[in-house]
Amino acid sequence: MAPIRLLTFSTLFPNNARPNHGVFVENRLRHLVASGEATSEVVAPVPWFPIAHPAFGDWAVNARVVPRETRHGLTVWHPRYPVIPKVGMSLAPLLLYRAMVAVVGRLIAAGPGYDAIDAHYLYPDGVAAVWLGQRFNLPVVVTARGTDVSLIPQYARPRKQIQGAIRNASALIAVSAALKDALVEIGAPSAKVTVLRNGVDTGLFRPPPDRDAARAALGITRLALISVGLLIERKGHHRTIEAMARLPDFELIIVGEGPERDRLNALIARLGLGDRVRLLGARPHAELPSLYGAADASVLSSSREGWANVLLESMACGTPVVASPIWGNPEVVRAPEAGVITRENSADGIVDGVRRLFAALPSRGATRAYAEPFSWDETTAGQLALFRRVIAERRV
């Protein structure tokens, strides 16, 4: 059977300037292609900005992205598209679509073509991808991942466009059962939505060979908590920092970068936690296993997630988790070996969750064993079956 030829389309994809951006999309695709039953060429559009000088902050990072690169054997194109800051939300799918028509057309003309479009994130990516599929007569499978279902549909025009994408896509993927339920609530037929959770690379994410050395490298001298994620409000790092004021026996390491850094540093200073809370900044994906493995528990206090990859990554390194009671998390943390779900998403809830976890702390071996069945194999098999079905249906 010939491999499925995919055009993967998403603004959420790593690049040379942002190597961790959308790495969960890349990871799923890498495992799919590694099966030998699918190939993919990636179109990962980047907002246009003319100046790369650091004075222009996050916008300037976009200017440093190369037009084309190869990542893990995948060809990745980074064409530019116009973005109107703050006021352009409703126009985003149209601007993205119009900028990508010529790009996708050239790729189709230059090669053997594609069997389907593999799109990630419903808005604006999924909306634009469905329009591209209609233009080039390709079936489109859109993966919903979190805020594209939990937040963006609250706005009238984006909601209408998302509902159109749901209606015209060949199939939808949700990364958790809770996310599928939310898609159904905004109009998706249940039969059209397949739940395919994210997996974890248990070869990369594993306990460090020398945990004492990993702790010493970080200067850890107490029980240690770790929180991994962008420094943005919805990740809830401020709640975890506030909880530390009532957890005097613990230190906290926060891994990530983002616009909340100054605010979080100010909070750390105001609470007098400078000797126990550290912001490490962003770290390469390959360094995360030693960071997880050095900690005694991970904390995730997000207010919104689709399927939080950091939970399984931590568990695969033998480190149990304390996770907020939001969509997806209870589907990941289902046994004491995995960790605990907090009773409420607040500093008080985190304090209570940490205390409950450490009152009956699982062995690191048991936590690792819990994570091992969550490999990518099941997700890869599910994708292959789904893509083959929609391609066959389109041909008929």
Side-chain angles (χ1 to χ4, degrees):
M1 187 179 295
I4 302 165
R5 299 168 302 174
L6 297 175
L7 173 66
T8 297
F9 183 83
S10 182
T11 60
L12 288 173
F13 206 88
N15 56 56
N16 62 292
R18 287 193 177 94
N20 296 329
H21 178 65
V23 70
F24 43 86
V25 176
E26 181 183 66
N27 285 341
R28 194 180 90 174
L29 181 61
R30 284 199 300 116
H31 286 85
L32 176 64
V33 171
S35 72
E37 297 186 47
T39 63
S40 179
E41 195 162 18
V42 181
V43 174
V46 176
W48 177 84
F49 193 74
I51 304 170
H53 193 281
F56 290 91
D58 201 48
W59 281 99
V61 177
N62 296 321
R64 297 196 288 271
V65 178
V66 296
R68 178 185 181 275
E69 61 181 325
T70 301
R71 298 181 55 87
H72 304 286
L74 296 167
T75 298
V76 184
W77 299 91
H78 297 298
R80 268 47 178 184
Y81 70 102
V83 172
I84 304 173
K86 298 184 180 180
V87 299
M89 182 179 183
S90 296
L91 291 174
L94 182 61
L95 293 173
L96 181 58
Y97 165 73
R98 285 185 171 176
M100 293 304 111
V101 166
V103 173
V104 174
R106 284 196 299 269
L107 290 176
I108 291 173
Y114 307 104
D115 298 310
I117 296 176
D118 165 36
H120 295 258
Y121 210 67
L122 266 168
Y123 193 92
D125 311 47
V127 175
V130 168
W131 292 341
L132 289 168
Q134 291 172 327
R135 175 146 187 159
F136 294 105
N137 194 30
L138 290 169
V140 181
V141 176
V142 184
T143 297
R145 293 191 164 274
T147 54
D148 50 345
V149 180
S150 64
L151 177 64
I152 296 175
Q154 295 175 15
Y155 301 93
R157 183 169 176 79
R159 181 184 181 91
K160 184 176 180 180
Q161 293 175 322
I162 287 171
Q163 288 172 329
I166 287 171
R167 184 169 56 253
N168 294 314
S170 298
L172 303 166
I173 294 173
V175 295
S176 69
L179 205 57
K180 175 177 179 175
D181 292 342
L183 280 169
V184 171
E185 285 182 10
I186 61 174
S190 180
K192 197 171 189 175
V193 186
T194 300
V195 176
L196 293 176
R197 57 163 176 78
N198 288 337
V200 62
D201 185 340
T202 53
L204 173 62
F205 290 95
R206 57 188 309 110
D210 187 338
R211 186 164 181 259
D212 289 339
R215 290 170 68 84
L218 289 168
I220 293 173
T221 58
R222 306 175 178 86
L223 292 170
L225 305 176
I226 187 170
S227 183
V228 178
L230 293 172
L231 305 188
I232 55 178
E233 195 279 335
R234 70 177 173 85
K235 291 295 183 181
H237 294 299
H238 58 287
R239 286 186 283 271
T240 308
I241 293 170
E242 289 167 358
M244 289 297 294
R246 294 172 50 198
L247 295 168
D249 296 331
F250 291 83
E251 59 185 287
L252 171 65
I253 296 169
I254 298 176
V255 181
E257 193 53 82
E260 289 279 290
R261 171 177 274 275
D262 289 346
R263 178 185 171 215
L264 296 178
N265 270 325
L267 179 61
I268 292 167
R270 180 165 59 82
L271 296 176
L273 297 172
D275 61 332
R276 293 195 294 117
V277 179
R278 287 180 282 163
L279 304 182
L280 288 191
R283 289 291 186 269
H285 204 58
E287 289 185 17
L288 292 180
S290 64
L291 298 175
Y292 286 123
D296 296 284
S298 289
V299 179
L300 177 69
S301 53
S302 297
S303 57
R304 295 187 304 276
E305 295 281 353
W307 178 276
N309 301 303
V310 296
L311 298 179
L312 283 177
E313 291 172 356
S314 178
M315 294 175 207
C317 297
T319 304
V321 303
V322 176
S324 54
I326 59 170
W327 284 3
N329 287 357
E331 297 176 46
V332 188
V333 186
R334 299 180 301 192
E337 295 80 14
V340 301
I341 297 293
T342 61
R343 295 186 174 103
E344 61 180 48
N345 194 14
S346 65
D348 288 345
I350 294 167
V351 171
D352 172 70
V354 169
R355 288 175 177 166
R356 283 191 288 125
L357 175 64
F358 281 83
L361 194 66
S363 72
R364 300 187 71 82
T367 300
R368 163 70 185 188
Y370 175 90
E372 285 175 344
F374 288 89
S375 72
W376 283 100
D377 295 348
E378 180 182 331
T379 302
T380 294
Q383 288 180 88
L384 290 169
L386 181 59
F387 279 118
R388 291 198 186 282
R389 175 174 64 79
V390 300
I391 292 166
E393 289 172 353
R394 174 58 65 96
R395 287 173 178 165
V396 170

